[in-house]
Amino acid sequence: MMYFRQLVIGLQFLTSTLVATVALGAEESLLHEFDFSGVPGQAPYEWLAAREFSLERHADNRDRIELYHANEALHVRVKKPSFGMVVHELDLPGAKHLDLDWGVSDYPEGASYEQGVDNEAIMVYVFFGHERQSSGEMFVPDSPYFIGFYLCPPGPDDVDEPYAGHHYQKTGRYICMAHPEEGQSVTTRIDLEEEFSRSFDIPYVPVISGISIEVDTTDSKNDGHAAAFIRRLAFYP
């Protein structure tokens, strides 16, 4: 898990489609799933630890970021400018599609990758491969390839556009998947092979090697507050 911890250190330097719901065909087989509805009587921090999630940066500071279960979902509420990640390492050969059931309750004001403000209320990172690629920067640690999928309000960020951030410009991309209204729950299906192939100029797609749920409001204009939720994350062939 060391490279994920190193990546978290690097990502703190970051000042930083609604895809129609697709019915799963009978031929599809679930490879891996996280149901974030929680367990009655168990705090979300205990629930995440039991499933080998690691809370990084401000994610374990409850004065900044609060995690709680409600309405069969894991909610993330940010109280002040913060950057936090909930990280899980895994190895999923054959995973080609990702389903997300999620939403945003409060967008951080001014967040926009199009306009260079690399903030978001929720982003799900998917890491590709175990080999760390050069970040190209002396003080930013190397990382596997990754794509961060996020939700954004109607505005400058285009849906399904792979943006490069301030760092990891060769190894990382950030894609807004939908423009939902605040409080709206959306279901997103992502073709991981397609998104990777159009984001990076390499002839193969490395194995899925990790995920992270992230929030960043470090450059937001509304005192850094934001809120989002996620109910389900599932990988399919």
Side-chain angles (χ1 to χ4, degrees):
M1 193 159 192
M2 181 59 69
Y3 71 74
F4 284 107
R5 292 185 179 276
Q6 291 178 324
L7 176 58
V8 168
I9 295 172
L11 284 173
Q12 66 179 292
F13 289 97
L14 297 175
T15 51
S16 316
T17 328
L18 176 63
V19 176
T21 302
V22 179
L24 299 181
E27 71 281 0
E28 286 191 302
S29 301
L30 177 66
L31 294 178
H32 200 79
E33 177 184 37
F34 289 106
D35 178 352
F36 291 99
S37 59
V39 175
Q42 186 178 47
Y45 301 92
E46 298 172 357
W47 188 94
L48 290 166
R51 287 152 184 81
E52 299 183 338
F53 280 90
S54 170
L55 275 61
E56 307 291 350
R57 292 290 292 147
H58 299 139
D60 63 352
N61 185 335
R62 302 184 193 188
D63 291 332
R64 288 179 172 270
I65 298 177
E66 179 185 7
L67 303 177
Y68 64 95
H69 282 121
N71 300 319
E72 298 185 335
L74 175 67
H75 290 252
V76 182
R77 181 165 61 194
V78 187
K79 304 174 182 179
K80 60 183 70 174
S82 302
F83 173 84
M85 300 180 76
V86 180
V87 183
H88 181 78
E89 190 172 352
L90 74 169
D91 192 85
L92 285 178
K96 297 180 180 180
H97 295 88
L98 172 65
D99 282 9
L100 297 171
D101 186 355
W102 56 342
V104 172
S105 303
D106 181 17
Y107 284 108
E109 185 178 343
S112 168
Y113 279 77
E114 178 71 33
Q115 297 182 346
V117 183
D118 300 352
N119 281 191
E120 60 282 323
I122 188 169
M123 178 177 285
V124 174
Y125 284 90
V126 177
F127 297 92
F128 297 83
H130 297 283
E131 181 180 355
R132 285 182 289 170
Q133 309 296 324
S134 173
S135 70
E137 300 180 59
M138 181 178 301
F139 298 107
V140 179
D142 298 342
S143 163
Y145 288 100
F146 66 86
I147 301 177
F149 302 100
Y150 67 104
L151 298 173
C152 56
D157 285 13
D158 293 328
V159 169
D160 212 30
E161 174 68 28
Y163 291 103
H166 289 98
H167 305 280
Y168 299 105
Q169 294 189 1
K170 293 184 178 180
T171 59
R173 292 293 182 269
Y174 308 90
I175 303 176
C176 174
M177 302 308 297
H179 290 152
E181 298 294 329
E182 292 184 342
Q184 179 185 0
S185 178
V186 296
T187 300
T188 306
R189 161 146 286 206
I190 301 166
D191 186 325
L192 295 170
E193 286 196 338
E194 178 181 330
E195 297 297 358
F196 185 90
S197 296
R198 73 190 187 94
S199 295
F200 305 109
D201 186 22
I202 63 173
Y204 64 95
V205 180
V207 65
I208 305 302
S209 57
I211 59 171
S212 177
I213 301 168
E214 181 257 20
V215 59
D216 188 353
T217 67
T218 51
D219 282 342
S220 299
K221 298 178 181 179
N222 54 343
D223 299 324
H225 65 76
F229 57 89
I230 183 167
R231 291 192 174 91
R232 182 174 178 267
L233 183 158
F235 288 97
Y236 291 86

